Every structure is written in structure tokens, then in C-alpha cells.
């Protein structure tokens, strides 16, 4: 049974950080996934009074507070005027609107779930996390860090006008993805992120520049072979590793073609 002994609405991040150092205390986001567990929580830490529920735009970046809901990500018109609207696209199949009105971006990113659409999408952007004690670090670095008891304040996404495509395969429209794929082209270089492998998302860059700006079929085939060879795919109740490997190649190719042919919405 999921139980909470004390509910603490903190007055600042220092109080939240101090409470979070104890093993039986938990920072609450939208508790969309947390409530499905059976933890006994001593102190549930509520950040809702700290002003971390805003999406703010600067000249160089978007700053997304940890308490921003997935629905707010999905419907923010200015944010989604960048990156081919890929952020909205990465949220639209996450369970349903009611769920997305509760689930927070901070909970999605900090948890680093293998099935996370949000992490798979954001890793393909020039994104950073701001931690209360750890400071600002690249999301790609944060994704590989072990879990700790720091507090995630916000996610920062730089406005570099990269072109991005997001594709998933799901057994049903609102199910967890069987495989998720983000493809990005920035400064004439390509990147691919594969999530729901079923382990957490992995970022692969075309460091050897196998793909030209508008790649040929031969270049795409060679690049996909490289991606598949350098990615591990596992099996679970939703799909086998071999099926995921096949789907990854298909979605990667579609994403590259969408961008190179200008068909990304």
C-alpha cells in the first residue's frame, strides 16, 4: 500500500534538500508513477509553493520549471514553435490528458525511466538540468549519473533551431512505447536518441559524418547499421530485443527522411 505519514509544503529549496537526504522522504511531482508503488513515505516533500511551475523564455533558451506539467509542455505555443513542435509530439500519447495534467517534467526527467518519451525527446535537444547543489549540467551527462538526493529545479533548452523528428511504436495509442526514436539535425550533423529499449534513452551522434546534409539511401543504411551495432536492445512483456532492433532501424530511417525531405510538422 502507498502511504504518506507527513505532508510537507516546503518554504524554500534548502528545506526541500535537507528533508530529501533521508531515505524515507520523497519529493513529490505529480505522483503519477509514484502512487503506483507500495512505498511507505515518512515525509512527502511538496515544491508547489516555490514558483517552479513556469515556462520562461529568454533570448537564448527556454527555462522549464520542474513542476511544469506535461500538459503545459504540450500546449505551450511559443515553446512548440521551435524544434518542429517535437516537444508537444513527444507528450501527446502519454496515457491521457488527465494524466498529463498531473505528471511533471521534473518527475519525468529526474526519474530517468527507460520508457520516458520526455527524456528521449529532450536528449536530442541542447538541453541542461539545473540542480540545487549540482548546478547546471548537460542533460546527456545527467542521464548517465547515478540517482542521488539533489533537487532538480529546472530544465534549460537552448534555442539553436535544430530540426527534430520524434517517432514511437506503441501497442496501443496511450500505452508505454515499445521503442522511441528522436532524430535531430544541427549544424549539418545528425544525432539519434533511442529510448524504451527498454532501458533508458541513449544518445548517438554521427561523429564520423556518415550522413550528409541530405543523405543518400546508401548513407542512411550505413548510419543505421552503426546505430544498431552500438545500441543494446532488451526484451520484456511488450516486445523482444530483436523486434525492438528492427523497429529502431525503421523509425530512425523515417526520422532522417522526414527532416531531409522537410516533412516534419
Amino acid at each position: 500500500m502507498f502511504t504518506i505519514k507527513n505532508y510537507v509544503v516546503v518554504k524554500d529549496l534548502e528545506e526541500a534538500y535537507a528533508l530529501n537526504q533521508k531515505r524515507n522522504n520523497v519529493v513529490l511531482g505529480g505522483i503519477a508513477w509514484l502512487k503506483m508503488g507500495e512505498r511507505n513515505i515518512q515525509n512527502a516533500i511538496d515544491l508547489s509553493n516555490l514558483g517552479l511551475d513556469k515556462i520562461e523564455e529568454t533570448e537564448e533558451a527556454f527555462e522549464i520549471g520542474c513542476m511544469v506539467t506535461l500538459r503545459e509542455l504540450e500546449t505551450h505555443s511559443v515553446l512548440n514553435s521551435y524544434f518542429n513542435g517535437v516537444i508537444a509530439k513527444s507528450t501527446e500519447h502519454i496515457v491521457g490528458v488527465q494524466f498529463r495534467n498531473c505528471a511533471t517534467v521534473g518527475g519525468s526527467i529526474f526519474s530517468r525511466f527507460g520508457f520516458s518519451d520526455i527524456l528521449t525527446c529532450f536528449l536530442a535537444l541542447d538541453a541542461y538540468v539545473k540542480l540545487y547543489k549540482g548546478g547546471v549540467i548537460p542533460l546527456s551527462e545527467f542521464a548517465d549519473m547515478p540517482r542521488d538526493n539533489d533537487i532538480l529545479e529546472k530544465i534549460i533548452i537552448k534555442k539553436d533551431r535544430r530540426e527534430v523528428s520524434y517517432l514511437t511504436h506503441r501497442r496501443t495509442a496511450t500505452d508505454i512505447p515499445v521503442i522511441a526514436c528522436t532524430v535531430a539535425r544541427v549544424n549539418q550533423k545528425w544525432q539519434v536518441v533511442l529510448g524504451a529499449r527498454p532501458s533508458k534513452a541513449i544518445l548517438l551522434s554521427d561523429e564520423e559524418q556518415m550522413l550528409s546534409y541530405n543523405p543518400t539511401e546508401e548513407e542512411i543504411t550505413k548510419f543505421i547499421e552503426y546505430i544498431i551495432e552500438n545500441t543494446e536492445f532488451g526484451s520484456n512483456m511488450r516486445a523482444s530485443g530483436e523486434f525492438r532492433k528492427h523497429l529502431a532501424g525503421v523509425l530512425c530511417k523515417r526520422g532522417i527522411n522526414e527532416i531531409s525531405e522537410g516533412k516534419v510538422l
Side-chain angles (χ1 to χ4, degrees):
M1 180 181 293
F2 174 72
T3 61
I4 295 175
K5 185 172 183 180
N6 299 307
Y7 188 89
V8 184
V9 181
V10 295
K11 64 181 182 297
D12 55 35
L13 283 166
E14 183 59 36
E15 181 184 7
Y17 179 82
L19 284 170
N20 198 42
Q21 301 315 297
K22 296 183 179 179
R23 183 176 179 181
N24 291 330
N25 296 348
V26 176
V27 175
L28 300 181
I31 71 167
W33 298 113
L34 184 63
K35 69 182 179 62
M36 298 173 69
E38 297 182 353
R39 290 190 65 172
N40 293 318
I41 297 172
Q42 179 69 23
N43 292 297
I45 305 163
D46 186 342
L47 307 178
S48 60
N49 281 353
L50 304 186
L52 300 173
D53 59 347
K54 299 177 178 62
I55 300 174
E56 299 178 322
E57 182 182 11
T58 68
E59 289 187 6
E60 297 180 349
F62 289 98
E63 298 185 358
I64 304 169
C66 65
M67 294 297 288
V68 170
T69 68
L70 302 189
R71 181 61 174 167
E72 289 169 320
L73 284 183
E74 182 182 10
T75 59
H76 195 281
S77 59
V78 179
L79 176 63
N80 283 295
S81 67
Y82 282 76
F83 318 117
N84 309 111
V86 74
I87 292 176
K89 191 172 183 181
S90 72
T91 65
E92 63 186 3
H93 292 297
I94 300 176
V95 185
V97 172
Q98 297 93 332
F99 183 92
R100 299 196 294 275
N101 273 327
C102 298
T104 60
V105 64
S108 298
I109 294 296
F110 192 85
S111 298
R112 287 159 275 194
F113 294 124
F115 56 79
S116 174
D117 291 275
I118 305 304
L119 181 60
T120 305
C121 175
F122 281 21
L123 275 173
L125 305 176
D126 189 12
Y128 303 79
V129 297
K130 185 177 187 299
L131 303 170
Y132 179 58
K133 293 295 184 179
V136 177
I137 61 175
L139 178 58
S140 56
E141 180 181 328
F142 175 74
D144 289 332
M145 289 170 55
R147 291 282 295 273
D148 61 17
N149 295 325
D150 209 338
I151 305 290
L152 173 60
E153 292 185 45
K154 66 178 69 173
I155 297 95
I156 301 164
I157 301 176
K158 298 294 183 66
K159 297 177 181 176
D160 60 3
R161 291 290 185 180
R162 66 183 60 200
E163 300 161 279
V164 192
S165 172
Y166 187 76
L167 297 160
T168 66
H169 178 83
R170 288 168 146 86
R171 298 198 303 180
T172 61
T174 58
D175 194 12
I176 289 170
V178 170
I179 193 76
C181 176
T182 313
V183 179
R185 182 173 66 183
V186 56
N187 298 328
Q188 301 189 21
K189 183 181 287 189
W190 295 83
Q191 295 177 332
V192 170
V193 179
L194 292 173
R197 301 175 295 113
S199 48
K200 68 183 176 184
I202 182 173
L203 170 65
L204 300 107
S205 296
D206 183 15
E207 300 294 347
E208 302 297 324
Q209 296 188 321
M210 289 177 274
L211 296 179
S212 57
Y213 187 78
N214 289 308
T216 65
E217 189 76 18
E218 183 180 348
E219 288 174 343
I220 294 173
T221 298
K222 182 179 178 181
F223 182 61
I224 290 174
E225 288 174 354
Y226 165 78
I227 293 294
I228 298 302
E229 288 173 2
N230 288 277
T231 306
E232 293 184 7
F233 299 91
S235 302
N236 63 5
M237 62 180 290
R238 286 183 168 77
S240 68
E242 282 301 311
F243 186 50
R244 284 190 164 96
K245 183 184 295 187
H246 172 74
L247 288 174
V250 172
L251 296 186
C252 182
K253 182 176 181 178
R254 287 180 185 173
I256 293 169
N257 285 333
E258 281 188 359
I259 293 171
S260 61
E261 295 171 8
K263 294 181 179 179
V264 180
L265 298 179

